Amino acid sequence: MKKARLAAHSRSQLDERFKELGPAKRYTPPVRGWIKALQEALGMSTAQLAKRLGISQPSLVLLEQSEAKGTIELATLRRAAEALDCTLVYAVVPNKPLEATIRDRARAFLHHHRGPIEHSMLLEDQTVTAKDAEARLDEIVRETNPRLFWD
């Protein structure tokens, strides 16, 4: 129970941080990458940026190409950002709030396990309606270790 509450607290804190970021699509990199876009916006030549990075101009072109392809290393991207007087911001942003993801997983978990439970309760003349199960969802999410929802 303690782990479940800790996980719920962590989800809540992370969801608040993600709200501050705004929509993830806002951070979609330009087609040729952030390095090239910033370099051009700053009016810096490839030779000038290469010199600031301490690499050759052809190496800079390869670096820009690897960023555009999504194969650049974070450490390299960080160095390039610093050479452009920028800060690299790295985040993995969920497509929907974490709480919504957990509720969806809990709902799927309950649906999968509801059959045997409903059968047993039916034999005891106790039925569980979908409305009852939905009403208990909050309690289940709050009290259940979320690791169970991912099996």
Side-chain angles (χ1 to χ4, degrees):
M1 191 180 321
K2 188 172 182 159
K3 285 185 180 186
R5 289 175 192 236
L6 180 61
H9 181 69
S10 295
R11 281 193 305 276
S12 175
Q13 287 184 322
L14 284 171
D15 278 342
E16 284 302 313
R17 289 182 70 184
F18 290 130
K19 269 191 226 175
E20 294 171 12
L21 290 175
K25 65 182 179 186
R26 165 184 190 181
Y27 303 101
T28 303
V31 175
R32 296 189 301 161
W34 289 110
I35 298 169
K36 187 70 173 173
L38 289 163
Q39 172 215 323
E40 289 176 349
L42 291 169
M44 194 182 295
S45 71
T46 54
Q48 291 168 323
L49 181 54
K51 183 177 178 184
R52 290 177 65 98
L53 279 164
I55 61 176
S56 68
Q57 189 173 356
S59 292
L60 176 63
V61 171
L62 291 174
L63 185 149
E64 290 172 338
Q65 290 171 349
S66 71
E67 184 203 356
K69 288 189 289 187
T71 59
I72 193 167
E73 290 185 14
L74 285 175
T76 303
L77 189 55
R78 184 172 286 109
R79 279 187 40 234
E82 290 168 359
L84 290 162
D85 195 26
C86 295
T87 301
L88 173 65
V89 178
Y90 173 80
V92 178
V93 181
N95 294 320
K96 60 185 173 185
L98 297 172
E99 193 61 34
T101 299
I102 287 296
R103 289 181 66 78
D104 290 349
R105 294 299 304 187
R107 193 173 282 113
F109 177 84
L110 287 176
H111 179 73
H112 178 74
H113 291 87
R114 190 181 330 186
I117 294 168
E118 285 180 352
H119 179 70
S120 173
M121 292 184 79
L122 186 62
L123 292 173
E124 296 173 13
D125 202 24
Q126 301 173 2
T127 58
V128 178
T129 66
K131 184 179 178 183
D132 292 337
E134 190 64 28
R136 287 209 52 230
L137 187 63
D138 286 335
E139 179 186 343
I140 290 164
V141 167
R142 190 175 51 251
E143 302 296 328
T144 305
N145 185 338
R147 289 183 180 178
L148 291 174
F149 303 148
W150 298 99
D151 289 334

